[in-house]
């Protein structure tokens, strides 16, 4: 009797399904959807790894990059740098015009050094290097030190304020600047020689010229001095870091 009852129930269920076939939709299992999604992700990763190689393009001449119009950069000169700029004008003018094939002038009305490309300009990056060179001189670096920005590609300028490291005021700020300079500039010269950088202290502003790694070492040493570390401890730390960097290379 039980088997007969089960058979009747199955037949009734089959009839219900046949009678209402339009009301039901076939549902895909979650496993099959997840499997397809994993397969698509794997294909995308394979395509991405295949396209990860850096493309090689031929060098483009300066005429094509310029697009026919000359570009200009302006560097503003503060009042206290007028006299040094006038005294060293030929040292600034010569490498920009003769080596980089650019045009340069000092606009007396706007007090800006204007640098412009011309037909003879071949290197598209010459304008940026010349602007960095003039900017470094305006910030207070010697012409000979700033000239390295034209000759070398791996040099950078970094500027930060003493109060960016620690909010100091009054005599506390003066003592922090004194710790960075040292007696007769001894501390500043030591940091420059060990890290192979050039440092300019202009009131509360600090300008550093050098390579990326060397700027990082000099900045760390200066920040430690601002935070109150004694110079002897800072000397030991930067010498240890410099020696490790020399061994690495």
């Amino acid at each position: 009797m039980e088997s007969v009852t089960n058979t009747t129930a199955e037949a009734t269920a089959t009839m219900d399904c046949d009678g209402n076939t339009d009301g039901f939709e076939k549902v895909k299992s979650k496993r099959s959807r997840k499997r397809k999604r994993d397969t698509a992700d794997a294909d995308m990763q394979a395509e991405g790894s295949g396209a990860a190689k850096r493309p090689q393009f031929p060098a483009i001449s300066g005429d094509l990059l310029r697009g026919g119009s000359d570009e200009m950069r302006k560097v503003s000169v503060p009042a206290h740098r007028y006299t040094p700029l006038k005294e060293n004008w030929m040292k600034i003018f010569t490498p920009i015009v003769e080596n980089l094939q650019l045009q340069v002038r000092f606009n007396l009305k706007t007090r800006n050094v204007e640098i412009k490309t011309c037909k003879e300009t071949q290197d598209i990056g010459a304008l940026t290097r010349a602007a960095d060179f003039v900017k470094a001189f305006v910030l207070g670096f010697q012409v000979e030190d700033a000239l390295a920005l034209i000759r070398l590609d791996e040099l950078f300028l970094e500027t930060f304020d003493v109060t960016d490291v620690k909010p100091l005021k009054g005599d506390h700020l003066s003592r922090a600047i004194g710790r960075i300079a040292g007696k007769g500039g001894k501390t500043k010269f030591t940091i420059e020689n060990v890290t192979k950088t050039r440092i300019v202290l202009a009131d509360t502003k600090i300008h550093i010229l050098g390579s990326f790694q060397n700027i990082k070492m000099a900045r760390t040493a200066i920040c430690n001095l601002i935070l109150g570390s004694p110079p002897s401890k800072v000397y030991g730390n930067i010498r240890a870091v410099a020696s490790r960097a020399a061994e690495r290379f």
Side-chain angles (χ1 to χ4, degrees):
M1 287 292 292
E2 291 179 0
S3 59
V4 173
T5 306
N6 292 338
T7 304
T8 307
E10 290 175 0
T12 307
T14 304
M15 289 175 64
D16 292 341
C17 291
D18 293 340
N20 300 323
T21 51
D22 297 337
F24 292 95
E25 295 181 0
K26 187 177 181 181
V27 180
K28 295 181 180 179
S29 65
K30 293 184 178 180
R31 290 184 180 179
S32 61
R33 280 188 288 178
K34 184 177 181 182
R35 193 179 300 116
K36 288 183 179 179
R37 194 183 306 119
D38 294 341
T39 306
D41 293 341
D43 294 341
M44 290 177 65
Q45 291 179 0
E47 292 177 0
S49 61
K53 294 182 179 179
R54 182 178 296 179
Q56 298 291 334
F57 297 107
I60 301 177
S61 64
D63 296 334
L64 295 175
L65 287 173
R66 258 200 322 271
S69 60
D70 294 331
E71 296 183 11
M72 178 184 288
R73 295 285 179 88
K74 297 180 181 180
V75 181
S76 61
V77 182
H80 69 280
R81 296 300 290 173
Y82 292 159
T83 303
L85 182 69
K86 185 177 179 180
E87 293 174 352
N88 296 278
W89 179 250
M90 288 308 298
K91 294 181 181 178
I92 298 172
F93 174 86
T94 304
I96 293 177
V97 174
E98 295 184 358
N99 298 342
L100 298 179
Q101 306 296 324
L102 296 169
Q103 296 177 351
V104 61
R105 72 173 183 178
F106 180 62
N107 194 326
L108 294 173
K109 292 183 179 180
T110 59
R111 299 291 185 176
N112 290 332
V113 175
E114 299 177 353
I115 309 168
K116 185 180 178 183
T117 58
C118 58
K119 294 180 180 179
E120 288 77 15
T121 306
Q122 298 295 328
D123 186 8
I124 193 61
L127 188 63
T128 303
R129 285 191 299 209
D132 291 341
F133 166 55
V134 176
K135 183 180 178 182
F137 177 78
V138 167
L139 290 176
F141 292 98
Q142 296 293 326
V143 178
E144 293 76 13
D145 297 332
L147 199 59
L149 286 166
I150 292 179
R151 296 175 177 171
L152 303 175
D153 293 332
E154 293 82 15
L155 293 184
F156 304 94
L157 276 172
E158 180 162 338
T159 301
F160 65 94
D161 201 299
V162 174
T163 55
D164 293 340
V165 181
K166 190 176 183 181
L168 300 171
K169 294 180 181 179
D171 292 340
H172 298 288
L173 181 60
S174 302
R175 281 194 289 270
I177 297 172
R179 281 196 300 272
I180 299 171
K183 185 178 180 179
K186 178 184 175 183
T187 304
K188 183 176 82 76
F189 292 145
T190 303
I191 295 174
E192 286 181 341
N193 293 333
V194 173
T195 60
K196 298 178 182 177
T197 57
R198 287 292 178 267
I199 301 170
V200 169
L201 296 176
D203 195 18
T204 60
K205 295 282 187 182
I206 299 170
H207 311 292
I208 307 175
L209 170 65
S211 64
F212 178 79
Q213 195 68 27
N214 294 342
I215 287 176
K216 183 180 178 182
M217 286 192 292
R219 186 179 63 237
T220 303
I222 292 172
C223 290
N224 289 335
L225 288 170
I226 294 172
L227 293 173
S229 297
S232 58
K233 185 176 181 181
V234 174
Y235 292 161
N237 290 339
I238 60 176
R239 284 199 176 99
V241 173
S243 63
R244 285 200 299 268
E247 291 174 359
R248 190 181 303 120
F249 292 109

